[in-house]
Amino acid sequence: MYLNSNDNTKLEEQSTTFLVVGGGIAGVSCAETLALYHQEERIILLTESNVIKTVANLEPVARYIYKFDVKEHSLNDKNSETIGLAPTITTIVDQLQHIEALENRVITKDGRIILYKSICLCTGAKPQLIRGDNPRVIGIRDTDSVLNLQQRLKDATTVILLGNGGIASELAYELRGVEVHWVVKDGHIASTFVDPGAAFFFQESWRHKSKDGCTSGTSSSPKSILKRLRYDESLVDQSKGAIKHGAALGPDWHIKFALQGNASTSLESPVMHFKTYVQDLTEKDSCLLVTLANGEQIKCNFLVSATGVEPRHDYSCSLSLTIASDGGFAVNEMMETNVKDIYAAGDVCTSSWEPGENWFQMRLWTQARQMGSMAGRSMGAKLMNEIIYQDFCFELYGHVTQLFGYSVVLLGRYNGQGLGTNYEILLRTTPQKEYIKFVIQNGRLRGAVLIGNTELAETCENLILNGIDLTPYGDDILNPDIDIDDYFD
Ligand code: FAD
């Protein structure tokens, strides 16, 4: 069932068993899990944008690691089958404003009162902007923010890209017809995901492709993605003047938008500025004059700040919800906050349980999906007075993505996170083809970076989870003439 802000029901009090807030991957995964196990119970999905995200084409890359597409659905379709949600889920487009925790009810921006037995907060995150008050500084999160970027690029000749995570890396690779200055605090690119060796592999491949003229104007990703359904969040009715944000963009978001600047010459881009940061911003001749910590000054049309996200919870609660040091709602392994009947999942929450030795939190859609489903199971179990355990997926960090046109699988403590200096690295690289890195501690595989079509994901997953002692195999474990699968059959 779909209710919009103009329905007469809007001021009426309604009650539901489960209330899920947020139409991103976490919220939708939570609502769908609840719908699967509790078909007789009422579920309301409350979200401020009329575009929701669902997971599609789930495909195993290993036993516990999946890759998937993120599909957008417009709630204007008014047809739950087209939207792809279970029929027991009622969607309401409205904004959560206040939670009366002792009375188990919420109040929305449009004046709805919804009573619940349990609620899951999946309200995502927003870009952490340096100098967010400057109109020439923009962030990327949802479709609207990319349309804004696209619009600005039309008149732009020079752009500064700040940050070294996935978004900055994708943009550096995808922006065309504009001089890009990429400012990173580290000594190498894409540091959130890879080490200097892999960064070098990417840069060399990139240089090689640029020389062959392969990158200009072509898209790096598979054609099938072009078949995705597309909805335009800018069509959302914002007549009431409210600022509504959609869910975070899905994988390969840049394929949907031509990110083309206004520079006529083919410039050597991006110009790298390593180990520095933005010290000052001033307006000069209708441009932004950016001073870097190393003293360099760059004049640009605008700056894209891709320096991470901060959890978004711009609503109040009558009891104070514990906030972790990174600004997220602290949750335990059952995705419960400190307040009874209030759960949280996805980018808005911070895992505050003792993690397994091969898992850590990163604000990614893989984890948004896993946390959303876990919250759904947990809310359902509480209702039924059942005891459940945390999903196995939280035993192993696993992320599948595309960087600079290559398939990338990251497993366990792939960058030695939390291992101190007590680990070894085993490396195999074939320029422009593959980059394989094993992180080994006390003879055991603790993490892996697999770039290219290595087909090693499942083997690595097993090795990490089983903790097999690899010492007897020595360096042969990555010998290209030996199929390591044979060792462990
Ligand atoms: P969101 O997707 O942000 O959803 C939050 C929802 O809550 C939205 O529907 C919003 O409208 C709604 N909401 C917020 N406040 C309220 C309120 N008060 N009332 C009602 N509704 C509300 N991850 C990867 O794994 N791989 C990548 O390659 C990758 N690339 C990315 C590229 C970009 C440009 C961005 C922005 C993110 C990327 N991410 C990537 C991160 C990933 O998109 C997020 O981790 C994930 O989508 C988080 O899902 P979520 O459901 O927690 O939050």
Side-chain angles (χ1 to χ4, degrees), residues 21-28 46-53 68 70 92 94-97 122-127 140-142 145-146 166-167 170 193 233 244-254 309 312-315 345-349 362-369 399-403:
V21 188
I25 291 295
V28 171
L46 172 73
T47 188
E48 65 181 351
S49 154
N50 72 347
V51 175
I52 60 157
K53 308 263 173 182
F68 54 86
V70 176
I92 299 179
D94 198 350
Q95 209 171 6
L96 171 65
Q97 205 153 50
C122 305
T123 48
K126 58 183 179 201
I140 305 291
R141 179 74 190 174
D142 49 17
S145 59
V146 182
I167 298 174
E170 283 173 325
F193 292 125
E233 279 175 54
K244 293 180 177 181
H245 302 273
L249 294 153
D252 310 307
W253 57 276
H254 37 79
V309 294
R312 189 173 159 224
H313 36 76
D314 36 23
Y315 39 85
D347 280 8
V348 77
C349 80
M362 225 190 223
R363 291 189 163 86
L364 297 166
W365 47 70
T366 323
Q367 294 195 0
R369 174 177 162 263
H399 182 50
V400 183
T401 187
Q402 285 256 325
L403 278 176

Side-chain angles (χ1 to χ4, degrees), residues 154-174:
K154 281 186 186 157
D155 306 314
T157 53
T158 309
V159 169
I160 291 185
L161 193 53
L162 182 66
N164 208 4
I167 298 174
S169 304
E170 283 173 325
L171 275 175
Y173 188 62
E174 298 294 335

Side-chain angles (χ1 to χ4, degrees), residues 127 129 137-142 145-150 153 159-184 189-190 193 206 215 218 220-221 249 252-261 269-272 302-308 401-405:
L129 298 186
V137 174
I138 65 166
I140 305 291
R141 179 74 190 174
D142 49 17
S145 59
V146 182
L147 292 175
N148 178 21
L149 168 69
Q150 207 177 23
L153 277 170
V159 169
I160 291 185
L161 193 53
L162 182 66
N164 208 4
I167 298 174
S169 304
E170 283 173 325
L171 275 175
Y173 188 62
E174 298 294 335
L175 285 171
R176 306 271 180 266
V178 67
E179 184 175 321
V180 180
H181 288 262
W182 189 4
V183 179
V184 299
I189 59 166
F193 292 125
W206 193 353
T215 54
T218 61
S220 52
S221 309
L249 294 153
D252 310 307
W253 57 276
H254 37 79
I255 293 173
K256 302 174 186 174
F257 306 90
L259 298 175
Q260 179 73 39
S269 249
V271 181
M272 293 305 310
F302 62 93
L303 180 148
V304 183
S305 176
T307 46
T401 187
Q402 285 256 325
L403 278 176
F404 308 102

Side-chain angles (χ1 to χ4, degrees), residues 205-425:
S205 311
W206 193 353
R207 210 162 286 152
H208 193 262
K209 280 189 191 166
S210 301
K211 253 193 244 154
D212 292 352
C214 297
T215 54
S216 68
T218 61
S219 175
S220 52
S221 309
K223 272 191 184 135
S224 57
I225 285 150
L226 293 171
K227 289 183 194 152
R228 285 211 202 121
L229 283 175
R230 294 171 197 178
Y231 290 102
D232 191 340
E233 279 175 54
S234 61
L235 299 180
V236 174
D237 175 20
Q238 298 192 355
S239 52
K240 293 190 182 98
I243 299 169
K244 293 180 177 181
H245 302 273
L249 294 153
D252 310 307
W253 57 276
H254 37 79
I255 293 173
K256 302 174 186 174
F257 306 90
L259 298 175
Q260 179 73 39
N262 190 32
S264 50
T265 50
S266 161
L267 296 151
E268 264 286 312
S269 249
V271 181
M272 293 305 310
H273 302 269
F274 288 114
K275 291 190 176 174
T276 190
Y277 55 91
V278 171
Q279 197 158 57
D280 192 33
L281 302 175
T282 47
E283 191 84 15
K284 193 173 182 199
D285 309 328
S286 306
C287 280
L288 192 65
L289 183 67
V290 178
T291 307
L292 302 182
N294 62 11
E296 273 182 85
Q297 287 199 316
I298 308 160
K299 215 160 118 180
C300 66
N301 299 92
F302 62 93
L303 180 148
V304 183
S305 176
T307 46
V309 294
E310 50 186 298
R312 189 173 159 224
H313 36 76
D314 36 23
Y315 39 85
S316 53
C317 180
S318 59
L319 296 178
S320 88
L321 287 155
T322 302
I323 307 284
S325 57
D326 66 359
F329 290 136
V331 289
N332 64 15
E333 70 279 13
M334 290 293 124
M335 310 311 297
E336 291 166 310
T337 67
N338 61 307
V339 177
K340 192 172 162 282
D341 302 327
I342 303 185
Y343 297 70
D347 280 8
V348 77
C349 80
T350 302
S351 64
S352 300
W353 63 86
E354 191 57 48
E357 59 172 0
N358 298 312
W359 189 88
F360 53 92
Q361 184 181 11
M362 225 190 223
R363 291 189 163 86
L364 297 166
W365 47 70
T366 323
Q367 294 195 0
R369 174 177 162 263
Q370 293 168 342
M371 288 176 165
S373 300
M374 184 67 226
R377 282 186 56 222
S378 178
M379 290 159 84
K382 191 72 168 277
L383 182 81
M384 308 304 286
N385 271 325
E386 285 169 2
I387 293 175
I388 57 160
Y389 298 96
Q390 194 181 38
D391 279 344
F392 195 78
C393 62
F394 295 99
E395 289 299 312
L396 177 67
Y397 171 95
H399 182 50
V400 183
T401 187
Q402 285 256 325
L403 278 176
F404 308 102
Y406 286 88
S407 148
V408 177
V409 179
L410 305 170
L411 290 168
R413 302 197 173 260
Y414 62 89
N415 254 349
Q417 295 95 335
L419 301 184
T421 49
N422 171 29
Y423 63 89
E424 296 168 81
I425 285 178

Side-chain angles (χ1 to χ4, degrees), residues 59-130:
E59 204 185 301
V61 171
R63 251 192 310 162
Y64 302 105
I65 296 157
Y66 292 84
K67 66 177 180 184
F68 54 86
D69 291 339
V70 176
K71 278 197 172 174
E72 294 180 350
H73 300 273
S74 168
L75 294 174
N76 289 336
D77 280 351
K78 299 199 176 192
N79 177 348
S80 52
E81 270 170 36
T82 323
I83 295 169
L85 287 179
T88 48
I89 301 174
T90 302
T91 53
I92 299 179
V93 178
D94 198 350
Q95 209 171 6
L96 171 65
Q97 205 153 50
H98 180 69
I99 308 170
E100 274 300 335
L102 289 173
E103 290 160 37
N104 283 40
R105 62 179 193 145
V106 300
I107 299 157
T108 69
K109 186 156 190 300
D110 285 353
R112 289 188 175 86
I113 292 171
I114 307 172
L115 292 140
Y116 60 81
K117 286 193 178 152
S118 60
I119 179 173
C120 188
L121 303 170
C122 305
T123 48
K126 58 183 179 201
Q128 214 168 30
L129 298 186
I130 58 143

